[in-house]
Amino acid sequence: MAHKAGFVNIIGNPNVGKSTLMNAFVGEKLSIITSKAQTTRHRILGIVNGDDFQVLFSDTPGIIKPAYELQASMMDFVKSAFEDADILVYMVEIGEQALKDDAFFKKITNSKIPVLLLLNKIDTSDQQKLEAQVQLWAEKVPNAEIYPISALEGFQVKEVFNRIIELLPESPPFYPKDQLTDKPERFFINESIREKILLHYKKEIPYAVEVETEAFHEEDNIIRIRSVIMVERETQKGIIIGHKGNALKRVGVEARKDLEKFFGKQIHLELYVKVNKNWRSNQNQLKRFGYNN
């Protein structure tokens, strides 16, 4: 039997459920999920292997009009998702009318590769509204196959996955068959900590934060980790730490619990906070944190 393999890249507006879908496909929490826009900053690869297939799913940042260098780098990840895709998954949610960038939308409608349009969050809708939305998107993206789904509830996720397998080109695997992602361990540590900051802090704070893991030492029964939370201003540092360090402690406790599940080992996590002025607009800093590569 011929082996199939290919890149399936998930694109769409912020908060439509792209990360939830990829985690459902992969069966692991590779992408962090919060209700805030711009939770996903990188292009994250999740690899699903079978005897005769390898699917390389890419979760990408939600499409926005960039306001500063970090956001411009995030949109570069989205552009790259168009360039190497074998299948495009364009994700929208019930009630949505259009993509936030006309140029990206034209790329989808003019795509020469298969496009699966997933109408997500149908568990929040009724039949009449759903039918109207299916008709709307069938007219807007006539080159797409449309699937109403609920990524959160798992509705039609298996059917979409099976269709993806059918559409994959014949190819040997791109990665070893036991590999789950292209990202290193430290990336998932950083993302787990950043997720807790997105969940517990308001306004500008989560968007001014980047996390860098400086030390990762794995022993037989424990992993010792030291990570630094970068902020742009001294006032933000005080907010992250909180009264008597309680806010930072909560982030550390919750991140440690998630990381113990992810690694299957006891975790000792040390967190520090540093000021890195205007890192979001500094090309050298962005490169250091894995953007602009």
Side-chain angles (χ1 to χ4, degrees), residues 16-206:
V16 294
K18 299 182 296 297
S19 297
T20 303
L21 179 72
M22 192 180 82
N23 290 344
F25 280 145
V26 176
E28 291 279 352
K29 187 179 174 183
L30 295 183
S31 291
I32 62 173
I33 299 165
T34 77
S35 61
K36 289 189 171 78
Q38 299 170 50
T39 296
T40 302
R41 286 180 175 172
H42 294 261
R43 182 176 168 186
I44 301 165
L45 199 68
I47 305 170
V48 181
N49 290 292
D51 291 339
D52 57 352
F53 67 82
Q54 182 177 79
V55 192
L56 306 155
F57 288 105
S58 271
D59 185 16
T60 61
I63 293 170
I64 54 172
K65 292 208 179 287
Y68 43 83
E69 285 296 327
L70 170 62
Q71 291 182 342
S73 296
M74 287 160 59
M75 292 308 96
D76 286 341
F77 288 130
V78 180
K79 286 174 191 168
S80 73
F82 281 95
E83 290 162 9
D84 62 15
D86 295 297
I87 301 166
L88 268 180
V89 172
Y90 173 34
M91 208 161 176
V92 299
E93 64 180 353
I94 289 286
E96 206 174 326
Q97 302 294 319
L99 201 62
K100 290 182 179 175
D101 186 298
D102 289 338
F104 281 130
F105 192 73
K106 282 177 185 168
K107 283 188 176 184
I108 295 164
T109 55
N110 294 327
S111 176
K112 299 290 188 284
I113 60 170
V115 177
L116 304 183
L117 191 150
L118 307 188
L119 185 53
N120 192 28
K121 306 184 184 179
I122 63 166
D123 48 308
T124 65
S125 178
D126 57 45
Q127 190 63 27
Q128 187 177 358
K129 191 174 180 182
L130 175 59
E131 287 172 6
Q133 286 272 284
V134 169
Q135 186 176 348
L136 169 80
W137 287 109
E139 291 168 4
K140 278 182 174 285
V141 193
N143 57 317
E145 296 179 29
I146 298 177
Y147 289 83
I149 72 160
S150 171
L152 192 62
E153 303 294 333
F155 178 74
Q156 286 246 98
V157 171
K158 183 87 163 103
E159 287 79 359
V160 172
F161 182 82
N162 290 340
R163 181 60 179 143
I164 286 167
I165 300 299
E166 289 174 6
L167 292 168
L168 280 180
E170 288 190 12
S171 168
F174 292 88
Y175 289 87
K177 283 286 192 143
D178 59 351
Q179 193 164 332
L180 182 65
T181 182
D182 63 333
K183 297 291 185 191
E185 291 161 327
R186 292 183 190 218
F187 175 83
F188 296 103
I189 296 165
N190 300 343
E191 287 290 272
S192 182
I193 295 163
R194 197 168 64 81
E195 180 185 53
K196 306 313 171 194
I197 293 167
L198 278 155
L199 289 171
H200 292 305
Y201 297 85
K202 295 177 182 176
K203 297 180 181 176
E204 182 65 10
I205 294 294

Side-chain angles (χ1 to χ4, degrees), residues 270-285:
E270 292 178 47
L271 287 181
Y272 300 89
V273 186
K274 289 183 182 177
V275 177
N276 187 343
K277 286 187 179 177
N278 300 321
W279 69 265
R280 286 183 293 177
S281 300
N282 184 311
Q283 292 281 3
N284 290 332
Q285 292 300 320

